[in-house]
Amino acid sequence: MGGLFITIEGVEGSGKTTIANILAQWLQEKGLKVNLTSEPGSTFLGSQIREILTKGSERTAWAEAFLFLADRAEHVTKVIKPALERGEIVVCDRYSDSTIAYQAFGLGLNLEQIFELNQIATNGLSPDLTLLLDVPPEIGLARVQKKTVFEERELHFHQRVRWGYLWLAQREPERIKVLDASLNLEIVIAKAKKLVEEALSRWL
Ligand code: TYD
């Protein structure tokens, strides 16, 4: 499609947002056109969905899944796909793998159905590279200052999310690269840059 699509995934407090920001700036400094974005909440409708998701508490698991999927459908159509068509590098903080990890593994929704719904919501658009920042949830959660309904969930939920991510990484080792995010930030950044550089050399 022209552009390069990179996603960053991980449990709460894994450092995704920090890494996404640093990578985006580093790519811009190379003179590349970068579109830094995140899920949920990067469209007009998405920002309203995000409010519901992070502030509300009681809801069925499927209602939650469909809200994330609705946010993604908007995001792909209005932000990600147009940027890729313009030949830009899209760096996205969370994407489809989050719904597999959180709603299928975390909440126990049917895995095949979530895969299929992701396929529908994204129109089959899969990232070229996914950096999975892996950290034990006890360490990640301890780093989080501002807690939403997600961080308030029991530790076991977050452990299942982590297993979900690691399962995905085993299933798609070419796309999903696991980084040990319990290490010093500088080390994680260096490893992330190396993986992005490899993706860039295949793309450019
Ligand atoms: P956000 O404040 O953006 O958190 P973070 O900085 O950790 O990404 O809130 C997003 C929350 O939504 C986060 O706790 C993970 C969760 N989430 C899902 O459960 N499923 C999804 O598909 C996505 C995209 C996010």
Side-chain angles (χ1 to χ4, degrees):
M1 202 194 279
L4 183 69
F5 186 21
I6 301 170
T7 60
I8 321 278
E9 296 278 359
V11 297
E12 314 300 326
S14 55
K16 287 178 297 83
T17 312
T18 308
I19 300 284
N21 284 321
I22 291 170
L23 286 178
Q25 200 187 335
W26 172 71
L27 289 165
Q28 265 157 2
E29 282 162 8
K30 286 176 180 285
L32 297 162
K33 187 101 183 68
V34 182
N35 194 306
L36 175 62
T37 187
S38 66
E39 288 191 2
S42 293
T43 57
F44 177 69
L45 179 57
S47 65
Q48 296 170 70
I49 294 174
R50 187 176 194 283
E51 283 287 299
I52 300 171
L53 280 164
T54 52
K55 303 251 162 64
S57 52
E58 267 311 299
R59 62 218 181 194
T60 61
W62 275 113
E64 180 176 301
F66 281 117
L67 287 167
F68 281 113
L69 290 157
D71 171 77
R72 183 159 308 128
E74 284 288 296
H75 194 208
V76 168
T77 309
K78 301 201 171 142
V79 178
I80 301 175
K81 203 161 163 275
L84 292 174
E85 280 168 353
R86 290 192 299 269
E88 298 174 7
I89 299 178
V90 174
V91 177
C92 186
D93 184 347
R94 294 196 183 282
Y95 188 63
S96 299
D97 298 321
S98 281
T99 316
I100 303 287
Y102 281 76
Q103 279 67 47
F105 281 81
L107 295 181
L109 293 180
N110 183 284
L111 186 60
E112 287 312 311
Q113 288 175 327
I114 295 285
F115 267 119
E116 203 178 321
L117 290 166
N118 258 334
Q119 192 71 13
I120 296 168
T122 62
N123 210 354
L125 179 67
S126 177
D128 298 297
L129 171 68
T130 296
L131 300 178
L132 170 55
L133 303 179
D134 179 53
V135 71
E138 335 36 319
I139 296 179
L141 287 168
R143 292 175 180 165
V144 178
Q145 308 279 335
K146 211 171 128 257
K147 295 200 175 359
T148 68
V149 290
F150 291 93
E151 286 89 2
E152 298 292 356
R153 285 181 180 164
E154 49 158 5
L155 182 61
H156 228 89
F157 169 84
H158 295 284
Q159 275 158 349
R160 290 195 299 273
V161 171
R162 185 190 187 199
W163 295 331
Y165 273 132
L166 293 173
W167 179 82
L168 278 168
Q170 275 201 333
R171 186 174 175 268
E172 278 186 83
E174 282 302 307
R175 170 176 69 90
I176 306 178
K177 304 295 179 192
V178 185
L179 294 170
D180 181 351
S182 60
L183 297 172
N184 174 293
L185 184 65
E186 293 308 312
I187 299 175
V188 183
I189 293 166
K191 291 189 175 183
K193 283 182 177 172
K194 192 163 172 282
L195 289 163
V196 171
E197 231 149 30
E198 284 167 13
L200 277 177
S201 64
R202 286 193 295 271
W203 173 62
L204 285 172

